[in-house]
Amino acid sequence: MSTDADAIRHWWRTSIIEMEPGKIAFRGTPIEELIGNVSFPQMIWLMVRGGTPSEAEARLFEAALVAGVDHGPQAPSIAAARMASTCGLGLNNAIATGVNMLGDVHGGAGEQCAELYYDISRRLDEGTVLINAVQEGLDNWRSEYGKIVSGFGHRFHKPTDPRAPRLMALVRAAASEGTVSGRYTDIGEAVQAELGRARGTPIAMNIDGATAVIFCELGFPSPLSRGLFCLSRSVGILAHSWEQMNQGGRNKGPMPPRFLPEYDPEDHSE
Amino acid sequence: MSTDADAIRHWWRTSIIEMEPGKIAFRGTPIEELIGNVSFPQMIWLMVRGGTPSEAEARLFEAALVAGVDHGPQAPSIAAARMASTCGLGLNNAIATGVNMLGDVHGGAGEQCAELYYDISRRLDEGTVLINAVQEGLDNWRSEYGKIVSGFGHRFHKPTDPRAPRLMALVRAAASEGTVSGRYTDIGEAVQAELGRARGTPIAMNIDGATAVIFCELGFPSPLSRGLFCLSRSVGILAHSWEQMNQGGRNKGPMPPRFLPEYDPEDHSE
Amino acid sequence: MSTDADAIRHWWRTSIIEMEPGKIAFRGTPIEELIGNVSFPQMIWLMVRGGTPSEAEARLFEAALVAGVDHGPQAPSIAAARMASTCGLGLNNAIATGVNMLGDVHGGAGEQCAELYYDISRRLDEGTVLINAVQEGLDNWRSEYGKIVSGFGHRFHKPTDPRAPRLMALVRAAASEGTVSGRYTDIGEAVQAELGRARGTPIAMNIDGATAVIFCELGFPSPLSRGLFCLSRSVGILAHSWEQMNQGGRNKGPMPPRFLPEYDPEDHSE
Amino acid sequence: MSTDADAIRHWWRTSIIEMEPGKIAFRGTPIEELIGNVSFPQMIWLMVRGGTPSEAEARLFEAALVAGVDHGPQAPSIAAARMASTCGLGLNNAIATGVNMLGDVHGGAGEQCAELYYDISRRLDEGTVLINAVQEGLDNWRSEYGKIVSGFGHRFHKPTDPRAPRLMALVRAAASEGTVSGRYTDIGEAVQAELGRARGTPIAMNIDGATAVIFCELGFPSPLSRGLFCLSRSVGILAHSWEQMNQGGRNKGPMPPRFLPEYDPEDHSE
C-alpha cells in the first residue's frame, strides 16, 4: 500500500478492534470466543478499558450498572425520549435524544464526584491525613464547581436515596473480601461525614456518590463514570421510549393539549 | 498524488464547496463576493440547490422561511430543547435535540404534501383533468400514508391557521406577477376543495400545505420541504433554548417537581 | 389533588417505575432488591418488557448483547462518535451522535429480519408448510423492503461473519435444552437455505439474522431487535469515543488534514 | 382554571410566543403581519432577542449569517451529517447530527471570542486605556481558556481566511455610517495587533473573530455568537446532507471500504 493509504489507515487506528474479512477480535480475543463466555458487564469492561474483571469485580461493576437505569418521566432525558418516540422517529433516535441530554448537570455528577475522590486520594498518597485531605479536596473541588457537592443530597429522595445504601453495602462487602481496597469507600464516607458536620445536619450520599465510589474502587478514570452511567441510563430511556410507542400519541408535548403555556409579555431573554 | 489519495479525496467529493488555503468558493463563487451581496435566503438557495433566485423568488422563499419558525413549548421539539438547555448542554446540543425530533410525524408533513402535489402535477402533464388528477393523487397518496392528508386541517388552530391564508395570498400575488406559474397554487386549492367536498364541510389548509405550495412553485424537490422547515424551525428552537437558559432551572422536567407521573401497575409495553 | 393535576400526572403515566421520595420500584420491585441480585441483562429484560428471564434465557440474551457491541471505525456510527469526542463534547453527546445514526439502513436490519421471521411464523400457525411459508414470507417482505433480505450476506465478512455461527450454535443448544422452542432457529435456517437455493450458491446468515433469531425465540417484539442492538452498540461507541479522547486531536475530520475533498464542479444535488 | 393548571402553564411560560386557536403572535406581533413583511434575518433577531433591527443593522447581521454557512467535508460536523444521511435517517436527523457537534472546540470560538471582547469593553468602561485593557483581557481570558486565542489564526487558511477581511470591511463601513459604534471593531483589531506584536509576526483574524465583532457591535450576548453560528452552519449541513443523499451510498464510512483502520495492539485507552 502507498504511504497515503498508510496515513489514512493510521488516522483511524484503534487498539479496540481488529477486523479483516471473516475476522473480528476485540483487544486480541476473537469475538466468537467472547460470545457465550463473557458476561455483558465483562464485555463492557473489556471494551472501554481492556482486560477482564474477576467474577467478584464484575458483580460489583454490574450492581452499579443496574442501579442507574432509570429515574422516571420527571427526568428531562426520559421525558424527551418519550416525546421523541411519538414524532415519527426510530428507537435509535429516541435513545439518542435522551442520552444526549445527560450533560454536566443531568449526567455529570458521577464524573465530578469521582474527580473529587481521586483528588483526595492523591492527597492521601502525598501523606495528608484523611480529614485534611477531605477538606482540602472539597475546597479545591468547590473552586471549580461551586458550593453544592455532586454525589451528596437529593432534591427529591429525602432523607435517603434507596440506591446508595445498598450500593455502599455491596462495596463494603467487596472490600472486606479483598475484591477492592476500600480506599474510595472510606473517602466517600469521610466526605459525607464532613459535609454533614459542616452544615450541622446529616446529608445522604446519593446514587452518583455511590456509583463513583464503585467506579473509583474498580479503577475507572473519572470521565468513564459519566460514560458508564450513559450505558446504564440508556436502558431506561429505551424502556420508556418503547412504552410510549405502545401507549401511542402523536407529537406528545409536555402537557395535555388543553393546557397552553402562559404568555408573559415581559421579555426575559437577556 | 497517489491513486489512494485520489480515491479518498473522491470519496468526499462535493459540488458545493471548493477549498484551498486562503480560498473558499461556493458553487463557483468566492465567499468574499457573496458576503454582503446576497441575502441569507439567497445563500440558502445557492447552497442547497445551486443558482440564485430572482428578488421576487427570494421574497416568496423568505416568506415561507419566516412562517415556520416556531409553534411554542407545546411542540415536543421546543419543549425538549428547553429542557436540554437546563441539563448543562451548549446551545448547539439544545438545537440539535429539537431539530432531531422533526421526524415524519412532527416535521414531515410538508414533504409528504409536496409529494402529493408533484404526483398530481405529473398526472396533469399526462393529460388528466385537474379534478381527476386530484382524486387519483389523493387515492395514491393515501395508499402510502393513510387517511389523514398532511397539509390540511389542524388539531389546534380551528378553524384557521393564520399563517396559511397569508402565505397563499403571497403566492397568488407572485403567480399573477409571473414570478411562479401558479400551478401548485391551483393544485393545493383543488386538493383543499376536494377534501372539503368529500367530508361535507370545509377544511383549512395549514402551514405545511401552504409552504409545500411555495416550495413546489419554486422547484424544490419534496424532501427539501422538510429540510427547509428544519432551518426555519431552528430559529424558534434557538430562541426558546436561550430564553430557558435565562429563566434558569436545572434538569427541568415536563412538569413542576411536585407533580409525579401516575404509576399504572398494568403493563402496557407490548 | 385537582382534576388538572390528575390529568397532567396521567399524561406521564408509566408502568415501568413507581417513585416517591425515598422509594424507587421497577415494575413492582424496589430497586434495592434488584441491585446486587439481578444481572444487567436481567435488568434490561425487566425494564423493556417486564418479567424476569430464567438463568438459561438470560445467558442466551446476554450472548446476543455481547455479539453486537462494535464493528470498528469503518462504521459511520463509530467514526462519527470518535469525531464528536474531539469537538469539545461530553461522552454523553458522543454516544448520542453514534446511536442516532443507527437508522433503518445502519441499525434496522435486525428489526426487519425479525419481522420476516414473525411473518413466516404466523403462516406456520395458519397451517402452511415451512418451505411455502418461507417463500410467501420472503415475497411479502420484499414487496415492502426490496430484493436484498436483511440478516443474510455481508458486504465485508466473506464468506462468513464469525459472530453468526457462534450465536446459532448457542441458540441450537438452548433449543435442545428446552430453553427456547427452536421455531425461529428453524425458520432462520430455512430462510438461509431458500436464499441460497434461489441464487444457486450458499449465502451466510449475518449477525442481524442471528440476533433476530435469538430475540424472536425469547419473544421480543421486532422493534426491540433494533432497540436492544442500540444498547449493545452503545458499548462500542463509548469505547471508541473514549479511546479517541485519549488519542487527542481537535475537530478530527474524516481524513488527515492534508487530504482535501475533491471539488466536482458538476452539480449533483438533484 | 385551578392553581394546578396555573402552575403547569407557568412552568412553560414564555415571552416569545402567544398562542390560542387561530392566533400566533411573536413578541406581540401577529405572525400574519410578519410573513412577507420582515426578512428572515429580522425574524431571527426578533425571535432570539426581541425588537426589530434597522435595515442597516439587518444587512450587517445578514452578512455574518451568510459568512458561516459551510467549511466543507473536512469539518467533522459536515462529514458526520453526510454519513448520517446514508444510514436511513431523515434530513432532520442528519442536520441534528451535524449541529450537535458544534461544541466548544468546533463551534465555540465565536462565543469565546465575544467574551474576550466584552471583557475588554468593560475594562474600557472602567477607564483603562485600550492597550492595557487588551493585555489584561487577554491574560484573563487565557487563564480560563488557554494560550491559543479563539478568533485569530487558522490552521488551514494561511495566511488569510478570505471571510474575515470582507466582514471587517463591512463592519468598518457600518461604523462610519453610524449603524454601529465601532467599539468592538477597534477592540478586535487591537487584539489582533497585540497578538501579532507578542509573537513577532502578524496573525490574521479568522471568521470567528470577525463574526464576534459583528455580533458584539449589534449587542448580542456572547452565547448567541454560538447559537447564531449554529443557524448559519445548519445551511451547509443541510446542503451536504442532501447532496450526499443524491450521490447515494449506504452506511458511508470515513474512507472507501477497501481501506481498513490500522490495528494498534498497544492499548491507549487510559
Side-chain angles (χ1 to χ4, degrees):
Chain A
M1 281 222 172
S2 67
T3 53
D4 287 329
D6 287 342
I8 179 72
R9 294 182 60 238
H10 185 68
W11 187 249
W12 287 103
R13 70 194 175 280
T14 177
S15 306
I16 298 170
I17 183 170
E18 183 180 10
M19 266 206 348
E20 294 168 18
K23 174 177 180 180
I24 302 172
F26 291 106
R27 299 193 186 278
T29 305
I31 181 66
E32 60 270 28
E33 295 178 18
L34 295 165
I35 298 171
N37 292 323
V38 299
S39 72
F40 192 41
Q42 286 175 317
M43 189 70 188
I44 295 171
W45 183 298
L46 176 70
M47 291 295 289
V48 301
R49 64 184 283 194
T52 310
S54 69
E55 287 290 324
E57 288 172 319
R59 273 197 305 276
L60 189 60
F61 183 52
E62 190 154 36
L65 292 172
V66 165
V69 292
D70 188 25
H71 207 243
Q74 268 290 21
S77 53
I78 298 292
R82 292 188 74 121
M83 296 194 298
S85 68
T86 70
C87 295
L89 301 173
L91 283 171
N92 55 306
N93 306 122
I95 297 172
T97 298
V99 173
N100 204 38
M101 279 200 194
L102 302 175
D104 286 353
V105 174
H106 193 20
E111 176 176 355
Q112 293 148 15
C113 188
E115 288 175 16
L116 171 63
Y117 294 164
Y118 278 128
D119 179 58
I120 293 169
S121 177
R122 274 186 297 272
R123 292 172 198 276
L124 294 176
D125 286 342
E126 291 160 3
T128 311
V129 298
L130 182 58
I131 181 62
N132 293 348
V134 165
Q135 288 174 348
E136 292 167 16
L138 281 169
D139 287 347
N140 181 51
W141 191 92
R142 281 170 161 150
S143 71
E144 180 165 356
Y145 292 112
K147 191 166 171 303
I148 307 298
V149 179
S150 300
F152 298 87
H154 203 288
R155 69 178 188 181
F156 180 78
H157 292 299
K158 293 181 187 303
T160 306
D161 180 332
R163 298 166 292 187
R166 175 67 177 143
L167 289 170
M168 290 304 285
L170 290 172
V171 70
R172 270 278 165 234
S176 72
E177 291 163 6
T179 303
V180 296
S181 75
R183 165 178 276 216
Y184 297 95
T185 315
D186 292 342
I187 290 173
E189 292 181 352
V191 170
Q192 180 182 7
E194 171 60 17
L195 291 174
R197 190 201 60 74
R199 69 174 201 172
T201 169
I203 189 168
M205 183 185 286
N206 62 34
I207 185 178
D208 300 306
T211 51
V213 164
I214 291 177
F215 293 139
C216 288
E217 290 281 8
L218 295 172
F220 285 90
S222 50
L224 288 178
S225 278
R226 184 194 308 217
L228 295 167
F229 171 66
C230 290
L231 294 189
S232 176
R233 186 52 57 92
S234 293
V235 176
I237 294 171
L238 168 59
H240 280 280
S241 301
W242 174 240
E243 185 183 59
Q244 185 65 56
M245 278 191 182
N246 286 280
Q247 275 184 16
R250 289 168 63 87
N251 295 335
K252 179 190 180 93
M255 47 193 170
R258 69 183 171 90
F259 298 101
L260 292 182
E262 175 188 320
Y263 175 59
D264 173 4
E266 193 172 334
D267 182 357
H268 299 288
S269 67
E270 290 182 53
Chain B
M1 283 223 169
S2 68
T3 53
D4 287 329
D6 288 341
I8 179 73
R9 295 183 60 240
H10 186 68
W11 186 250
W12 288 102
R13 70 194 175 280
T14 177
S15 305
I16 298 170
I17 183 170
E18 183 181 10
M19 268 207 347
E20 294 168 19
K23 173 177 180 180
I24 303 173
F26 292 106
R27 300 193 185 276
T29 304
I31 180 66
E32 60 271 27
E33 295 178 19
L34 294 165
I35 297 171
N37 291 324
V38 299
S39 71
F40 192 41
Q42 286 175 316
M43 189 69 188
I44 295 171
W45 183 299
L46 175 70
M47 291 295 289
V48 301
R49 63 185 282 196
T52 310
S54 69
E55 287 291 323
E57 287 172 319
R59 274 198 304 276
L60 189 60
F61 182 52
E62 191 154 36
L65 291 172
V66 165
V69 292
D70 187 24
H71 207 244
Q74 269 289 19
S77 52
I78 298 292
R82 291 188 76 120
M83 297 193 298
S85 68
T86 70
C87 295
L89 301 174
L91 283 171
N92 55 307
N93 305 122
I95 297 171
T97 298
V99 173
N100 204 37
M101 278 199 194
L102 303 175
D104 286 352
V105 173
H106 193 21
E111 176 176 356
Q112 293 148 15
C113 189
E115 288 175 16
L116 171 64
Y117 295 164
Y118 279 128
D119 179 58
I120 293 169
S121 177
R122 273 187 297 271
R123 292 171 197 275
L124 294 176
D125 286 343
E126 291 161 2
T128 310
V129 297
L130 182 57
I131 180 62
N132 292 347
V134 165
Q135 288 175 347
E136 292 168 16
L138 282 169
D139 287 348
N140 180 51
W141 190 93
R142 282 170 160 150
S143 71
E144 180 165 357
Y145 290 112
K147 190 165 171 303
I148 308 298
V149 179
S150 300
F152 297 88
H154 204 289
R155 69 178 188 183
F156 181 78
H157 292 299
K158 295 179 185 304
T160 305
D161 179 333
R163 298 166 291 187
R166 175 67 177 143
L167 289 170
M168 289 304 285
L170 290 171
V171 69
R172 270 280 165 232
S176 72
E177 291 163 5
T179 303
V180 296
S181 75
R183 164 178 277 214
Y184 297 95
T185 316
D186 293 341
I187 289 173
E189 293 182 350
V191 170
Q192 181 182 6
E194 171 60 17
L195 291 174
R197 190 201 60 73
R199 70 175 200 170
T201 169
I203 188 167
M205 183 185 286
N206 63 34
I207 185 178
D208 300 305
T211 52
V213 163
I214 291 177
F215 294 139
C216 289
E217 291 281 9
L218 295 171
F220 285 91
S222 49
L224 288 178
S225 278
R226 183 193 310 216
L228 295 167
F229 171 67
C230 289
L231 294 189
S232 176
R233 185 54 56 93
S234 293
V235 176
I237 294 171
L238 168 60
H240 281 279
S241 301
W242 174 240
E243 185 183 59
Q244 185 65 56
M245 278 190 181
N246 286 280
Q247 275 184 16
R250 289 168 62 88
N251 296 335
K252 180 190 180 91
M255 48 193 169
R258 69 183 170 88
F259 297 101
L260 292 181
E262 174 188 320
Y263 175 59
D264 174 3
E266 192 171 336
D267 182 357
H268 300 289
S269 68
E270 292 183 49
Chain C
M1 283 225 172
S2 68
T3 53
D4 286 330
D6 288 342
I8 178 73
R9 295 182 60 240
H10 185 70
W11 187 250
W12 287 103
R13 69 194 175 281
T14 177
S15 306
I16 298 170
I17 183 171
E18 184 180 10
M19 267 207 347
E20 294 169 19
K23 173 177 181 179
I24 302 172
F26 291 107
R27 300 194 186 276
T29 304
I31 181 66
E32 60 270 29
E33 296 178 19
L34 293 165
I35 298 171
N37 291 324
V38 300
S39 71
F40 191 42
Q42 286 175 316
M43 190 69 188
I44 295 171
W45 184 299
L46 176 71
M47 292 295 289
V48 300
R49 63 184 283 192
T52 310
S54 70
E55 287 291 324
E57 287 173 318
R59 273 198 304 275
L60 189 59
F61 182 53
E62 191 154 36
L65 292 172
V66 165
V69 292
D70 187 25
H71 207 244
Q74 268 289 21
S77 53
I78 298 291
R82 292 188 75 121
M83 297 194 297
S85 68
T86 70
C87 295
L89 302 173
L91 283 171
N92 55 306
N93 305 122
I95 297 172
T97 299
V99 173
N100 204 38
M101 278 199 195
L102 302 174
D104 286 352
V105 173
H106 194 21
E111 175 175 356
Q112 293 148 16
C113 188
E115 288 175 15
L116 171 64
Y117 294 164
Y118 279 128
D119 179 58
I120 293 170
S121 178
R122 273 187 298 270
R123 291 171 199 276
L124 293 176
D125 287 342
E126 291 160 2
T128 311
V129 297
L130 182 57
I131 181 62
N132 293 346
V134 165
Q135 289 175 346
E136 292 168 16
L138 281 169
D139 286 348
N140 181 51
W141 190 93
R142 281 170 161 151
S143 71
E144 180 165 356
Y145 291 112
K147 191 166 170 304
I148 307 298
V149 179
S150 300
F152 297 87
H154 203 289
R155 69 178 187 182
F156 181 78
H157 292 299
K158 295 179 186 303
T160 305
D161 179 333
R163 298 166 291 187
R166 175 69 178 142
L167 289 170
M168 290 304 285
L170 290 171
V171 70
R172 269 280 164 233
S176 71
E177 290 163 6
T179 304
V180 296
S181 75
R183 163 177 278 217
Y184 297 95
T185 316
D186 293 341
I187 289 173
E189 293 182 349
V191 170
Q192 181 181 7
E194 171 60 17
L195 292 173
R197 190 200 61 72
R199 70 175 200 170
T201 169
I203 189 168
M205 183 185 285
N206 63 35
I207 185 178
D208 301 305
T211 52
V213 163
I214 291 177
F215 293 139
C216 288
E217 290 281 8
L218 295 172
F220 285 91
S222 48
L224 288 178
S225 278
R226 183 193 311 218
L228 294 167
F229 171 66
C230 289
L231 294 189
S232 176
R233 185 54 56 92
S234 293
V235 176
I237 294 171
L238 168 59
H240 281 279
S241 301
W242 175 240
E243 185 184 59
Q244 184 65 56
M245 278 191 180
N246 286 280
Q247 274 184 15
R250 288 169 62 89
N251 295 336
K252 179 191 181 90
M255 49 193 168
R258 68 182 170 90
F259 297 101
L260 292 181
E262 174 188 321
Y263 175 58
D264 174 4
E266 192 172 336
D267 183 357
H268 300 289
S269 67
E270 290 184 50
Chain D
M1 281 222 171
S2 68
T3 53
D4 287 329
D6 287 343
I8 178 71
R9 294 182 60 239
H10 186 68
W11 186 249
W12 286 104
R13 71 194 174 281
T14 177
S15 306
I16 298 170
I17 183 170
E18 183 180 10
M19 267 206 349
E20 294 169 19
K23 174 177 180 178
I24 303 172
F26 291 106
R27 301 194 185 276
T29 305
I31 181 66
E32 60 270 28
E33 296 178 18
L34 294 165
I35 297 170
N37 292 324
V38 299
S39 71
F40 192 41
Q42 286 175 317
M43 189 70 188
I44 294 171
W45 184 298
L46 176 70
M47 292 294 291
V48 301
R49 65 185 280 194
T52 309
S54 69
E55 288 290 323
E57 289 172 318
R59 273 198 305 276
L60 189 59
F61 182 52
E62 190 154 36
L65 292 172
V66 164
V69 293
D70 188 25
H71 207 243
Q74 268 290 20
S77 53
I78 299 292
R82 291 189 74 121
M83 297 194 298
S85 68
T86 70
C87 295
L89 302 172
L91 283 170
N92 55 306
N93 306 122
I95 297 171
T97 298
V99 173
N100 204 38
M101 278 199 195
L102 302 174
D104 285 353
V105 174
H106 193 21
E111 175 175 356
Q112 294 149 14
C113 188
E115 288 174 17
L116 171 64
Y117 295 164
Y118 278 127
D119 179 57
I120 293 170
S121 177
R122 273 187 298 271
R123 292 172 198 275
L124 294 176
D125 286 343
E126 291 160 3
T128 311
V129 296
L130 182 57
I131 181 61
N132 293 347
V134 165
Q135 288 174 348
E136 293 168 16
L138 281 169
D139 286 348
N140 181 51
W141 190 92
R142 281 169 161 151
S143 71
E144 179 165 357
Y145 291 112
K147 192 168 170 300
I148 307 297
V149 179
S150 300
F152 297 88
H154 204 289
R155 68 178 187 182
F156 180 77
H157 292 298
K158 295 182 187 302
T160 306
D161 180 333
R163 298 166 292 187
R166 175 67 178 143
L167 289 169
M168 290 304 284
L170 290 172
V171 71
R172 269 281 165 232
S176 71
E177 291 163 5
T179 303
V180 297
S181 75
R183 164 177 276 217
Y184 297 94
T185 315
D186 292 342
I187 290 173
E189 293 182 351
V191 171
Q192 180 182 8
E194 172 60 17
L195 291 174
R197 191 201 58 74
R199 69 175 201 169
T201 169
I203 189 168
M205 183 184 287
N206 62 35
I207 185 177
D208 300 306
T211 52
V213 163
I214 292 177
F215 294 139
C216 288
E217 291 281 8
L218 295 172
F220 286 90
S222 50
L224 288 178
S225 278
R226 183 194 310 219
L228 294 168
F229 171 66
C230 290
L231 293 189
S232 177
R233 185 54 55 93
S234 294
V235 176
I237 293 171
L238 168 59
H240 281 279
S241 301
W242 174 240
E243 185 184 59
Q244 185 65 57
M245 278 190 182
N246 286 280
Q247 275 185 15
R250 289 168 61 89
N251 296 335
K252 180 191 181 91
M255 48 192 169
R258 69 182 172 89
F259 298 101
L260 292 181
E262 175 188 320
Y263 175 59
D264 173 4
E266 193 172 335
D267 183 357
H268 299 289
S269 67
E270 288 182 53

